[in-house]
Amino acid sequence: GEHKIEMFYTGNKTAYNPGSREHVWPCADSAGLWPHPVVDDKGYAGGGSDLYHVRPSTNAVNTARGDAPYVDFDDSEFSSARPYVVEVGDEGPYKLKLYGANPVGSGKYEFAELVEPADEFKGDIARIVAYVYMHYKTNSKYSKYTGSLSLTKVIGYSTQARAIEKLKEWNELDPASDVEKFRNHEVQKIQGNRNPFVDFPDLMDEVF
């Protein structure tokens, strides 16, 4: 009823001025699928416009994340990064943790090497990433172009097994909220499909 948009990563609510479109699965790591001229010529929109992984974000937070993969900085694999982690978040209640970002002003950064979202968004990210990976890697319309989709470029662990383990962990840590479920219904009205990982929480374990 507030006619405001809740920003991804930070949770702050703003008037209708989303700032930028955050591709949770970055364009730069999409194996050229979005945008992809051959896909567009065949009449497919491609993953770049798929509403299940395009979320509203403020420009500053979007720029700070860049195309950096998601991690948990508490994991031993990233122990050397911990002393250098900084946070961004505008006025939102949640912060995005950054490693290796370039400072570009007071409290502003760009193009981090690694990022960790707040716990409140980790499950959303896990279900989005799982959806993009399964939908575009196996769907016959796209499979010719998506064979090199890599989970470890988005969930930034040294092996795919560790990346999958993190997807499952985050899916369990942060179950789908009522807002996420409602969004699933609304997106279906627009593009005609659903994110099944939102509908069926146990699917993550079954598929991966």
Side-chain angles (χ1 to χ4, degrees), residues 93-107:
Y94 310 114
K95 306 298 180 186
L96 184 68
K97 296 179 181 179
L98 316 171
Y99 166 75
N102 299 316
V104 290
S106 178

Side-chain angles (χ1 to χ4, degrees), residues 75-205:
D75 291 344
S76 59
E77 191 168 334
F78 306 103
S79 59
S80 62
R82 289 179 207 150
Y84 308 103
V85 170
V86 296
E87 295 183 337
V88 296
D90 304 319
E91 289 82 37
Y94 310 114
K95 306 298 180 186
L96 184 68
K97 296 179 181 179
L98 316 171
Y99 166 75
N102 299 316
V104 290
S106 178
K108 295 185 180 297
Y109 299 86
E110 63 180 11
F111 311 132
E113 294 178 28
L114 300 167
V115 299
E116 180 182 346
D119 288 350
E120 288 78 4
F121 290 94
K122 286 177 177 174
D124 303 60
I125 288 168
R127 289 179 285 276
I128 290 169
V129 169
Y131 162 81
V132 170
Y133 184 69
M134 296 306 299
H135 184 70
Y136 290 100
K137 193 173 179 66
T138 61
N139 189 308
S140 60
K141 292 192 299 185
Y142 307 106
S143 57
K144 178 179 178 181
Y145 311 107
T146 60
S148 59
L149 280 184
S150 171
L151 278 178
T152 57
K153 287 186 176 180
V154 183
I155 306 296
Y157 287 77
S158 55
T159 66
Q160 178 158 306
R162 286 285 292 118
I164 289 171
E165 181 182 318
K166 190 55 58 175
L167 285 181
K168 293 178 178 180
E169 180 184 321
W170 285 2
N171 182 53
E172 185 173 348
L173 170 71
D174 172 35
S177 66
D178 289 341
V179 171
E180 193 177 351
K181 294 174 183 176
F182 177 77
R183 193 175 189 278
N184 211 24
H185 295 306
E186 295 303 302
V187 172
Q188 181 187 21
K189 295 176 185 178
I190 297 170
Q191 63 183 48
N193 70 318
R194 300 178 69 80
N195 182 345
F197 295 100
V198 175
D199 291 323
F200 305 104
D202 295 336
L203 191 62
M204 190 79 72
D205 292 324

Side-chain angles (χ1 to χ4, degrees), residues 9 20-23 55 57-66:
Y9 301 127
S20 61
R21 295 181 298 275
E22 163 68 346
H23 292 79
R55 304 301 296 269
S57 174
T58 60
N59 289 323
V61 174
N62 189 316
T63 300
R65 189 260 168 138

Side-chain angles (χ1 to χ4, degrees), residues 38-58:
V38 177
V39 173
D40 292 340
D41 289 345
K42 290 182 178 295
Y44 308 134
S49 61
D50 191 314
L51 290 172
Y52 286 118
H53 85 117
V54 178
R55 304 301 296 269
S57 174
T58 60

